[in-house]
């Protein structure tokens, strides 16, 4: 289910970049954490325009 949401978000970002009007610059982040239980990796992608923001990630 998470993969499906990520694919939808990527499609939304690509569609938003080619829409009429000024393109929206997507934002991305990546994290790597190290703790006593091991390491974990996370990341996400988002769009922000005015007061509206959409972010999909972990």
């Amino acid at each position: 289910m998470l993969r499906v949401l990520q694919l939808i978000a990527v499609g939304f970002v690509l569609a938003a970049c080619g829409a009429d009007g000024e393109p929206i610059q997507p934002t991305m982040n990546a994290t790597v954490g190290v703790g006593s239980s091991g390491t974990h990796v996370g990341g996400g992608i988002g769009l922000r325009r005015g007061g509206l923001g959409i972010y999909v990630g972990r």
Side-chain angles (χ1 to χ4, degrees):
M1 183 69 177
L2 181 61
R3 295 285 181 207
V4 172
L5 291 175
Q6 289 173 340
L7 288 174
I8 290 171
V10 168
F12 179 73
V13 168
L14 292 176
C17 291
D20 288 342
E22 186 177 327
I24 300 171
Q25 181 73 29
T27 59
M28 295 180 66
N29 77 349
T31 59
V32 177
V34 179
S36 61
S37 61
T39 61
H40 68 281
V41 178
I45 187 167
L47 293 173
R48 185 161 215 35
R49 177 139 188 162
L52 177 65
I54 298 173
Y55 179 81
V56 177
R58 198 170 180 197

